[in-house]
Amino acid sequence: MYKHILIPVALDHEGVVANKIAAGRRLLAEDGRMTLLTVLEDIPGFVAEFVESKPENHLTARIKDELDRLASGADDISTEVITGKPGLKVAEYARENHVDLVIVGSHKPGVRDYLLGSTASRISRRAPCSVFILR
């Protein structure tokens, strides 16, 4: 059983989060915990010049609220929002936070990614722990 399970949540795939949490529940140690993590990609500097920065446009707080909603108030699920490249940052987060299992989803990949989606593939190659790929 796993003590700390990390569940990356892509903004465009939040429909599979319930399945990931259910899988995590089956694999979680009695005193374990789960973390829902969204990684926002950095906005390139040339784009940032044209974006008006207003508090209501700030995605981090809105996404954190959505992750909290997906966690359904469970005491053993925490939520985090960080920035960077998802394939790199998920593995980095796992390393720094003593995660022992990452549960990722994989959607219908193209030939380039053959069996996994590109982010799932990057995470599985870089993660310092076991990776459970949910289809």
Side-chain angles (χ1 to χ4, degrees), residues 67-119:
L67 290 177
D68 290 339
R69 184 190 68 75
L70 292 169
S72 302
D75 292 338
D76 60 348
I77 301 177
S78 60
T79 60
E80 297 277 341
V81 180
I82 60 176
T83 58
K85 297 283 186 194
L88 296 171
K89 287 297 191 172
V90 169
E92 183 179 298
Y93 183 93
R95 189 175 304 104
E96 292 172 356
N97 292 278
H98 310 290
V99 169
D100 51 359
L101 178 68
V102 179
I103 298 178
V104 296
S106 182
H107 57 287
K108 301 170 189 147
V111 173
R112 180 172 164 223
D113 302 312
Y114 192 55
L115 295 174
L116 300 175
S118 59
T119 302

Side-chain angles (χ1 to χ4, degrees), residues 51-59:
V51 177
E52 187 175 339
S53 181
K54 295 180 182 177
E56 65 269 17
N57 289 343
H58 195 53
L59 279 179

